[in-house]
Amino acid sequence: MILLALLLAAPAQTYAPQARQQHLEKVIGAVKRSGRDVLSQAYQYVAVYERGSCASSSERLRVECMMTAAKRFCQKRPATEAADCGLYLDMVVSNLLAEKRLVPTERRYEIMRRSREWRRDVGRELDRIQGELAVDFHLRHGDPKTDAQLARDVDAYCLKTPDATGMSWQVCASSLLWFVVAGSPPKEEQR
Amino acid sequence: MLGSKTLVTLFAAAAALLLTLTSGVLAPHRLATRGPHALLLAGIFGVLVGVLMFRFWRLGEASATYFRVARDGTLYENEGHFLGGPLTRLATGKNEGSAFDLGPTPQLFLCVGVALLVGLATIDARSLELLGKFTRNVAVNTASFCPEVEAKPAADDPNAPGCELVRRAFALGYAKDLGDCGVSKTRAAAAAVCTLRQRDEPFVHYAWRLLEHFGAGAARYFEPGYVSGLKSDFEKRMSRLDSINTAQREVLSSAPHSSHHVWVSLPDPGGTSLFGAGCEDRYRYLPHRPAPGDPAKAASQVFEHVLAQLLFESRYEPAAAYCREVVIHWGAPADACRQLAKDPEGFLAQSGALPHVRAVLDRWRLGNDLEQLGKQRSNRELPPQAFVSFSCWVEKPGAPGNPERWSAPVKLDGLDLAAEELTVAPLPPGAPLFVERYDEVATLLTRGFHYGALLSEAGLEGRGGEGLEPSFSTSDFAMSRLFGLEAVDIYLEPGWMAHRPDLLEVYPYQLHLKNYVKVFRGQYRRERGRL
């Protein structure tokens, strides 16, 4: 009984290697099932919140607010997408949060100073960085045969990136999924 | 018989032609690169010099002497032997009109031709540029005039609004320089007394001033004590010749500038030790998180990793110390510092540290010695404790949770040094997190090291990540939730995260470790230094 109580009291290891890989596999599946248009739409929806009501100096508040916005987006989607929506939105929200890490404020100012369409140029810079990451990943791991294999490879690769490039696991994983699996959907409405 | 003037002219023309043809000066592509100005100048040079040669050497007149090739033993009257043997030789004699000489016109053309070839070979675009620069320098030699005092721009005004605060901050050491509020170099230079020629000063007046200045300077050499002063200065310097030689030897042999010794009561971590030959390469990039490979040497490997990250890793900012000057004595007795305090010289000699320490102390004394001579500046203001230190790291089972510090004075060669000992509890076996080791090693290396919420980039909410734990018990938005960890600085206090090895694997160490190392190095540099 005591042992059982202790086991129940122990915190769940929700980020154990197997749990991480399973989550990544589910996200890969959900992204593949949803179209680029849906991903683009989801991105634009959450981006509005990120720049508006979710803007905060506290990172924790910002993250929570964007997750709430993502859940709100999912509520508006058809019921058939309910299972996948939360998964691919995890990638979308992570990607939005990762943008400030990939293109730091100083670089963003630099782009803003020299470009009139700075948002488009920041997007290009992001594509360039994520593309470089994807090429490096591809050179190291080759073509994965299954989603499970890809998830394992992404997890293993992204565990090493903090030491090599200073990029956190979540920044690396969401960038790779966005670029490799989703094919970098457009982030702004086509004019 | 050939007149000497004709011979010389023909010889010069042949030589010039031969040289220009062999060196390719007359090649069309070379001539094309010269440009019209260089070619024009070469032409003017040729005509001018050729005509001058013709006039001054009087090439229009018959030669006074001649040369002849003689093929027999007899020479003419008024002839002399010049070159060659008894059968064939070159004879020279006085020309009485019988020798062949070129007429004035061919001579003039030959002279102009030779000069033209010389001009073409030597004058190119660079020569033109140099000539132009020379003429400009001769015409306007601004360096010999006093600079004009420019009108002060508003930004350079030391009494500008806000400068009072900046000056106060500089005086208290909070600012490195005065910036716009300081006296700029140009203004200081303009304000200094200028002894060069004034813009409106007549040349004769300036020349008189120079002469007067020279006279005043020269009078110094005729003063009665000058020679004896020179002699005593020379003798003084000669008496320090050994010191100067030693200083040169130290520079050439890269003698250490500081000597820091750490006696560690842990076994040597093994062949991958960071503190050996080539350690600079190994510490340049270290993993953010210590990952001990051998459980038996885990404690040593973690200590070594943390020490190297704090002092040497140059990923984020320049290293705080040189690994050649930090000596780790592995497998030291637990009472190493107490032995050191009891018998400094004996203990240092026994552990092989004495020569290294003495080399640094000698360098320090030598620096002081040379400073008296005015030969060089040394870091004399550094106390010996800043560049020579003795520390002991003791890991003892049963030690209290908080590290225990013990200090004792150490007297070596008449200098006051100190031995610092830190006793800590060993790491629990298989511990996934080593953040407390960072604080402990930092405390060993700098007295009173402190890393608090105000120094952390995570701010006041970063301690332990209170209230965040439930957020990581669910698996939805698993990637997004991890961004919340960036606001938690586990180097302040790991809190509940210490029990989540799964989260520790994906925690963004690099964000806060960078700041931690920066804060440590700032404090370390205030206490320690190099000669």
Side-chain angles (χ1 to χ4, degrees):
Chain A
M1 285 292 281
I2 295 168
L3 193 66
L4 188 67
L6 282 173
L7 280 172
L8 286 173
Q13 304 288 303
T14 45
Y15 285 88
Q18 209 171 351
R20 286 197 309 263
Q21 289 160 16
Q22 277 174 359
H23 180 74
L24 288 175
E25 191 183 341
K26 283 183 197 167
V27 174
I28 292 167
V31 170
K32 281 184 175 172
R33 283 189 291 276
S34 60
R36 273 166 62 91
D37 292 348
V38 177
L39 292 175
S40 185
Q41 208 181 329
Y43 180 92
Q44 284 158 23
Y45 183 88
V46 186
V48 170
Y49 279 89
E50 193 251 345
R51 290 170 201 149
S53 50
C54 288
S56 165
S57 59
S58 167
E59 192 66 14
R60 280 162 61 177
L61 283 179
R62 209 163 139 246
V63 174
E64 290 292 337
C65 175
M66 284 169 72
M67 287 194 305
T68 310
K71 283 172 188 164
R72 202 170 292 165
F73 176 83
C74 286
Q75 283 167 3
K76 292 177 188 168
R77 300 299 301 170
T80 48
E81 273 186 31
D84 284 346
C85 185
L87 290 166
Y88 67 68
L89 265 160
D90 185 21
M91 179 195 70
V92 169
V93 172
S94 296
N95 236 284
L96 268 162
L97 290 165
E99 284 181 4
K100 283 200 172 127
R101 278 75 177 173
L102 295 172
V103 184
T105 315
E106 302 82 49
R107 177 82 186 118
R108 209 169 273 255
Y109 280 146
E110 203 181 301
I111 293 171
M112 283 167 81
R113 269 205 304 273
R114 66 151 205 260
S115 170
R116 297 181 84 181
E117 290 190 55
W118 63 271
R119 200 161 276 171
R120 187 199 61 192
D121 286 354
V122 169
R124 280 184 184 167
E125 178 78 356
L126 274 168
D127 281 348
R128 188 186 63 75
I129 295 167
Q130 289 179 333
E132 271 181 27
L133 189 74
V135 168
D136 188 53
F137 170 74
H138 186 75
L139 288 172
R140 284 168 199 271
H141 291 278
D143 281 325
K145 291 189 173 57
T146 60
D147 288 355
Q149 177 68 43
L150 177 61
R152 275 198 299 278
D153 288 350
V154 168
D155 181 49
Y157 178 79
C158 291
L159 276 180
K160 289 177 191 156
T161 50
D163 281 337
T165 61
M167 199 183 279
S168 311
W169 181 88
Q170 62 273 20
V171 173
C172 164
S174 61
S175 296
L176 280 178
L177 296 189
W178 180 266
F179 200 86
V180 176
V181 184
S184 194
K187 292 175 178 173
E188 285 186 72
E189 279 183 43
Q190 301 291 326
R191 290 175 194 171
Chain B
M1 275 186 273
L2 193 64
S4 56
K5 287 179 183 173
T6 304
L7 185 69
V8 168
T9 318
L10 286 173
F11 182 75
L17 197 64
L18 192 70
L19 282 174
T20 46
L21 287 176
T22 49
S23 62
V25 170
L26 294 178
H29 68 276
R30 292 275 292 272
L31 288 174
T33 58
R34 295 290 157 94
H37 293 101
L39 290 175
L40 179 69
L41 189 68
I44 293 170
F45 177 84
V47 171
L48 202 67
V49 174
V51 170
L52 286 174
M53 277 162 68
F54 179 77
R55 288 282 172 217
F56 281 101
W57 292 343
R58 288 188 282 180
L59 297 178
E61 299 168 18
S63 304
T65 52
Y66 68 84
F67 288 93
R68 179 178 73 87
V69 180
R71 296 191 184 279
D72 49 18
T74 359
L75 290 175
Y76 296 157
E77 200 179 336
N78 294 332
E79 252 189 4
H81 174 85
F82 185 70
L83 269 177
L87 293 177
T88 307
R89 55 182 155 178
L90 196 61
T92 179
K94 194 176 174 190
N95 182 21
E96 288 169 350
S98 54
F100 171 76
D101 263 317
L102 287 171
T105 312
Q107 283 279 30
L108 179 63
F109 273 105
L110 274 176
C111 287
V112 171
V114 169
L116 185 66
L117 287 174
V118 171
L120 282 174
T122 52
I123 297 172
D124 56 5
R126 187 170 171 274
S127 318
L128 264 183
E129 193 190 336
L130 289 174
L131 277 171
K133 205 181 277 182
F134 173 73
T135 48
R136 275 198 304 278
N137 286 348
V138 167
V140 192
N141 193 359
T142 48
S144 61
F145 286 99
C146 283
E148 285 185 61
V149 182
E150 291 167 15
K152 269 191 259 177
D156 202 21
D157 183 4
N159 298 316
C163 282
E164 185 59 35
L165 274 176
V166 174
R167 274 201 295 273
R168 182 86 182 128
F170 180 70
L172 291 170
Y174 293 119
K176 282 183 182 168
D177 55 61
L178 288 168
D180 290 344
C181 297
V183 178
S184 74
K185 281 180 186 171
T186 48
R187 207 177 64 229
V193 177
C194 177
T195 55
L196 296 174
R197 187 179 169 190
Q198 299 292 328
R199 297 240 167 222
D200 55 350
E201 185 177 15
F203 183 75
V204 180
H205 187 269
Y206 177 56
W208 178 254
R209 273 206 301 121
L210 284 181
L211 190 67
E212 205 176 42
H213 179 72
F214 172 76
R220 193 162 58 91
Y221 298 103
F222 298 101
E223 284 171 3
Y226 180 73
V227 176
S228 58
L230 265 184
K231 194 181 165 203
S232 73
D233 186 54
F234 178 74
E235 280 167 357
K236 197 172 142 194
R237 281 169 192 272
M238 282 301 284
S239 69
R240 311 261 184 172
L241 201 58
D242 282 346
S243 303
I244 295 168
N245 284 339
T246 314
Q248 297 288 345
R249 224 177 11 253
E250 280 186 347
V251 170
L252 291 173
S253 63
S254 303
H257 292 251
S258 66
S259 184
H260 303 286
H261 295 263
V262 186
W263 284 270
V264 183
S265 71
L266 297 169
D268 192 325
T272 57
S273 173
L274 292 165
F275 301 93
C279 54
E280 292 89 353
D281 294 328
R282 282 198 289 275
Y283 63 61
R284 195 165 292 145
Y285 286 103
L286 290 169
H288 290 111
R289 190 181 174 204
D294 182 358
K297 292 174 178 171
S300 309
Q301 287 170 355
V302 170
F303 175 81
E304 182 188 40
H305 188 105
V306 171
L307 188 75
Q309 257 177 343
L310 290 175
L311 287 179
F312 310 123
E313 189 178 20
S314 52
R315 189 199 293 257
Y316 303 120
E317 62 168 67
Y322 286 75
C323 67
R324 275 194 320 126
E325 295 169 7
V326 179
V327 186
I328 310 291
H329 302 269
W330 297 105
D335 62 343
C337 271
R338 290 160 206 265
Q339 288 184 37
L340 174 69
K342 210 169 157 187
D343 176 17
E345 207 165 325
F347 181 78
L348 288 174
Q350 187 196 329
S351 56
L354 194 59
H356 199 262
V357 173
R358 284 249 162 91
V360 175
L361 292 176
D362 286 347
R363 186 178 196 131
W364 176 65
R365 287 195 195 94
L366 192 64
N368 292 346
D369 219 22
L370 291 177
E371 201 170 78
Q372 287 173 4
L373 265 181
K375 287 294 282 183
Q376 66 178 54
R377 273 216 48 83
S378 71
N379 272 330
R380 204 172 56 159
E381 66 272 15
L382 277 180
Q385 298 88 346
F387 51 84
V388 175
S389 73
F390 307 119
S391 316
C392 299
W393 175 265
V394 183
E395 280 195 21
K396 198 157 65 181
N402 288 332
E404 275 183 357
R405 193 180 190 95
W406 178 85
S407 305
V410 172
K411 198 104 177 159
L412 184 70
D413 296 350
L415 295 170
D416 290 323
L417 301 165
E420 305 280 350
E421 180 188 281
L422 199 77
T423 307
V424 299
L427 289 166
L433 192 61
F434 312 104
V435 287
E436 71 273 20
R437 276 288 178 268
Y438 284 87
D439 271 344
E440 290 160 356
V441 175
T443 310
L444 175 73
L445 298 173
T446 54
R447 274 180 159 274
F449 171 75
H450 174 67
Y451 182 73
L454 291 174
L455 294 168
S456 168
E457 284 186 343
L460 294 171
E461 63 171 324
R463 184 181 283 272
E466 289 93 348
L468 201 61
E469 189 176 5
S471 174
F472 290 97
S473 55
T474 58
S475 60
D476 66 325
F477 288 93
M479 280 190 287
S480 309
R481 286 180 196 281
L482 284 177
F483 284 91
L485 284 185
E486 293 182 0
V488 181
D489 186 352
I490 58 170
Y491 295 95
L492 276 177
E493 191 185 315
W496 58 271
M497 278 186 60
H499 311 293
R500 290 289 302 268
D502 57 331
L503 278 179
L504 293 176
E505 219 173 350
V506 289
Y507 177 79
Y509 293 91
Q510 68 278 10
L511 298 179
H512 298 293
L513 181 63
K514 178 185 173 184
N515 183 49
Y516 189 93
V517 170
K518 194 176 164 193
V519 169
F520 167 77
R521 289 187 184 172
Q523 297 190 23
Y524 182 82
R525 286 194 182 104
R526 277 199 286 277
E527 273 190 36
R528 307 278 183 222
R530 295 178 81 233
L531 289 174

